[in-house]
Amino acid sequence: MLEKLFKLNDHDTSVRTEVLAGLTTFLTMSYIIFVNPEILSSTGMDRNAVFVATCIAAALGSGVMALVANWPIGMAPGMGLNAFFAFTVVAAMGFSWQQALGAVFISGCIFLLLTVTGIRRWLVAGIPKSLRSAIAAGIGLFLAFIALKNSGIVVANPATFVGLGHLGSTGALLAILGFFVIAALDALKVRGAILIGILVVTVLSMILGVSEFKGVFSAPPSLAPTFLQLDIMGALHTGLLQVILVFVLVEVFDATGTLIGVSKRAGLIEEGKPNNLGRALFADSTAIVAGSLLGTSSTTAYVESASGVQAGGRTGLTALTIALLFLAALFISPLAASVPGYATAPALLYVAGLMMHELVDIEWHDVTESTPAAITALMIPFTYSIANGLAFGFISYVVLKTFTGKASVVHPATWLVAALFVIKFALFPG
């Protein structure tokens, strides 16, 4: 049955290889079941319900990827957009988490429409590579700032806005230790380095008596506090229109880039040969809608899937294994509730560092490319908003290209996005 469903022989693989590849990917991305509830619960969402929503959304997304596209790619709520959801849309802009979920739902529907009509590929092809790289790097800086703030390493300062916190505090010391554990293990190619780092800090915090052990196994908590709690009408509030645009754009760049990059490593996309990219894009789009209904921020393809591909994963059986493992994780909710914020901060910081690698792909020799890219990457953390970073980046790109006589090389998609942000600033400058 598995051979018929996943065409293992055609991909020169076996059940054992695919299952081990799925386990490998799960270990590298399972940190999200601890990090996502920590981030989203800061909005007032029930932490246990978010834990369940995270696991189910990841299982559904990965399962659809397995059965519809037959690709070895894991899905889960994305890093960066969950921080934007919690710390910008809810904390800074003042919207409720229900309205924010409504914005995720609407963006997912738009995303699905863009995928079905083919506009998604047009957008990806039209956005400059330098801006795409800068967006990833800027989100990385955003995550780093949040991690440093949550661990107490960076604190508010009335004279300089930010300053160095008390490094001798328990939280800061454990966060620093956790970061080095993760970095060292990853350098040694240890599978699940981020997950191990989180657990090490959690255990040490319990030993030191600064956090409480709540157990390991139990029946899954109720999903009711977040299930179908989205406010779609409230999400149509004018102030959330740019938020919806950001959700769509980041998903277009991030998810599509991940899908194409990982699938190329697996040999699933080759010049002149048919592939299931369209189905994979469809699976990715539907996962966002499902996640918003369950009660979590945007679900996306995980670049950590490359670890499973490296381990030999070539078919949807890898993704199906990931889905089943996320369902199994539903029964460790007490352990997830035992993880303190300064145990997830090192994971955020390390992921942020990995995202900064995108800076090498910026065309630094061309000022009309590098300057908008730099502005994008800087404005995201400094304004605490992915939306503002995108706005400044796209607008400055169009302006610089126009002023230097290169307006003709700007793709219509870039003009469109820049125009939308100009309209936003003209109508709502705050």
Side-chain angles (χ1 to χ4, degrees), residues 122-132 135 249 252-253 394 411 413-414 417:
W122 175 76
L123 280 172
V124 172
I127 304 303
K129 184 179 180 181
S130 291
L131 284 185
R132 295 203 301 266
I135 292 168
L249 288 177
V252 164
F253 306 143
F394 277 94
H411 193 278
T414 306
V417 175

Side-chain angles (χ1 to χ4, degrees), residues 57-379:
L60 281 175
S62 301
V64 173
M65 184 65 69
L67 300 175
V68 174
N70 194 24
W71 275 17
I73 295 177
M75 306 277 293
M79 295 294 293
L81 283 180
N82 54 2
F84 178 66
F85 178 107
F87 301 115
T88 299
V89 179
V90 177
M93 298 176 69
F95 293 102
S96 68
W97 60 263
Q98 292 90 341
Q99 290 173 314
L101 279 180
V104 173
F105 175 81
I106 294 171
S107 69
C109 293
I110 295 173
F111 199 46
L112 184 59
L113 179 63
L114 295 178
T115 299
V116 172
T117 59
I119 297 176
R120 176 175 176 176
R121 295 196 191 192
W122 175 76
L123 280 172
V124 172
I127 304 303
K129 184 179 180 181
S130 291
L131 284 185
R132 295 203 301 266
S133 298
I135 292 168
I139 292 175
L141 288 170
F142 185 41
L143 291 177
F145 189 72
I146 291 169
L148 294 171
K149 173 178 173 291
N150 289 350
S151 60
I153 296 174
V154 168
V155 297
N157 186 301
T160 60
F161 288 104
V162 293
L164 185 65
H166 179 46
L167 298 184
S169 65
T170 303
L173 287 173
L174 287 174
I176 292 170
L177 174 64
F179 175 80
F180 285 121
V181 168
I182 292 171
L185 291 177
D186 199 30
L188 294 171
K189 308 298 182 184
V190 175
R191 294 172 182 173
I194 296 178
L195 175 62
I196 293 172
I198 291 174
L199 294 178
V200 166
V201 174
T202 299
V203 171
L204 284 176
S205 68
M206 293 173 184
I207 293 174
L208 294 172
V210 292
S211 69
E212 179 186 356
F213 177 61
K214 300 178 181 178
V216 179
F217 300 107
S218 75
S222 172
L223 184 62
T226 60
F227 182 59
L228 297 181
Q229 295 301 309
L230 64 169
D231 181 0
I232 298 176
M233 294 307 296
L236 294 174
H237 186 286
T238 308
L240 276 171
L241 294 181
Q242 69 162 334
V243 171
I244 294 171
L245 176 61
V246 170
F247 281 144
V248 171
L249 288 177
V250 174
E251 275 297 324
V252 164
F253 306 143
D254 184 45
T256 307
T258 298
L259 286 171
I260 293 175
V262 175
S263 59
K264 281 184 176 179
R265 291 191 189 186
L268 299 172
I269 294 182
E270 296 181 13
E271 195 68 32
K273 292 185 178 182
N275 58 69
N276 285 342
L277 178 59
R279 291 187 176 188
L281 295 175
F282 176 79
D284 176 57
S285 304
T286 55
I288 300 173
V289 176
S292 66
L293 296 175
L294 291 167
T296 184
S297 53
S298 298
T299 303
T300 187
Y302 260 57
V303 72
E304 284 87 347
S305 301
S307 64
V309 169
Q310 186 68 29
R314 294 294 182 272
T315 74
L317 183 54
T318 294
L320 183 60
T321 302
I322 296 168
L324 293 175
L325 289 170
F326 270 113
L327 288 178
L330 284 168
F331 296 91
I332 61 166
S333 59
L335 178 60
S338 301
V339 176
Y342 42 80
T344 58
L348 279 176
L349 186 59
Y350 192 69
V351 170
L354 296 178
M355 295 177 75
M356 294 299 294
H357 181 267
E358 293 288 336
L359 290 173
V360 302
D361 294 326
I362 295 174
E363 298 176 42
W364 294 104
H365 61 279
D366 184 346
V367 173
T368 63
E369 294 284 337
S370 61
T371 299
I375 290 174
T376 301
L378 292 171
M379 291 301 288

